[in-house]
Amino acid sequence: RNEILKDISAFANHYSNNDKYIIIGVIEKNGQADSFENIDRLIDESKYQQLIKSNIEPEINFDYKTFPYKSYNLAYFRIFNNNNRPYLIKKNIKNPINDKIDFKTGDGFIRSRSSTKKMTRADFDKIYESKYAAKDRKSDILISSYSKYSDDEILSKIGIKYLDIAIENISNKSI
């Protein structure tokens, strides 16, 4: 239970905005897939949703599904659209076996190559640098202008024109 919290938060904290996957049912040996274990019964996704939501903030988007592979039925967590890093542990989480605290409030984990590690200051710096970097949004705006003679009779007679400018957001993000 606690390991899945750590792993999902670590994948969500990874710098890539691509979907990330945790495959369930793969038995590794020396860091390589060695064999497979059939997932006969999938735990209800809502239980994982509740576990993650009650222990990690902000909320993490993920799916938990099964898929066939060769003669096996495996499962996966797909972690996606998580651009609100960092994802941190909300409260102290105890180990159910020895009652010691596994994770403290504010702990953060990140995936680094093939392992999961506790986040360091450098990881937070990199997340915030990326999060708040100024992005060039010029291509998100369409500016159109036109000039016309006024509808006002007096202004029209003396040749006064007006300038109208339309600014349109052509992206799906607010400006």
Side-chain angles (χ1 to χ4, degrees), residues 22-27 35-44 48 64-69 71-77:
I22 300 172
I23 309 297
I24 310 296
V26 177
I27 299 168
S35 58
F36 303 97
E37 184 178 316
N38 212 26
I39 306 297
D40 295 321
R41 191 175 58 94
L42 198 62
I43 295 171
D44 184 8
Y48 283 114
Y64 180 58
K65 308 280 184 211
T66 60
F67 70 99
Y69 179 75
S71 61
Y72 296 94
N73 193 35
L74 303 179
Y76 67 87
F77 286 95

Side-chain angles (χ1 to χ4, degrees), residues 146-164:
Y146 58 92
S147 63
K148 285 185 165 182
Y149 286 104
S150 174
D151 291 339
D152 182 275
E153 204 174 301
I154 297 172
L155 294 176
S156 183
K157 282 183 184 178
I158 57 175
I160 294 182
K161 290 184 169 183
Y162 67 89
L163 176 66
D164 198 0

Side-chain angles (χ1 to χ4, degrees), residues 8-24:
I8 287 179
S9 69
F11 275 79
N13 278 323
H14 187 271
Y15 310 117
S16 167
N17 287 327
N18 296 332
D19 292 359
K20 294 121 184 153
Y21 293 87
I22 300 172
I23 309 297
I24 310 296

Side-chain angles (χ1 to χ4, degrees), residues 108-149:
F109 301 93
I110 193 163
R111 190 73 179 172
S112 177
R113 297 191 180 158
S114 61
S115 64
T116 297
K117 67 176 188 114
K118 193 167 183 179
M119 292 175 70
T120 63
R121 169 66 187 259
D123 295 314
F124 283 102
D125 287 346
K126 190 171 179 179
I127 285 171
Y128 285 116
E129 180 182 321
S130 170
K131 191 173 185 172
Y132 296 114
K135 294 183 176 37
D136 182 358
R137 305 271 315 272
K138 286 182 244 170
S139 62
D140 291 349
I141 299 172
L142 178 63
I143 300 175
S144 307
S145 63
Y146 58 92
S147 63
K148 285 185 165 182
Y149 286 104

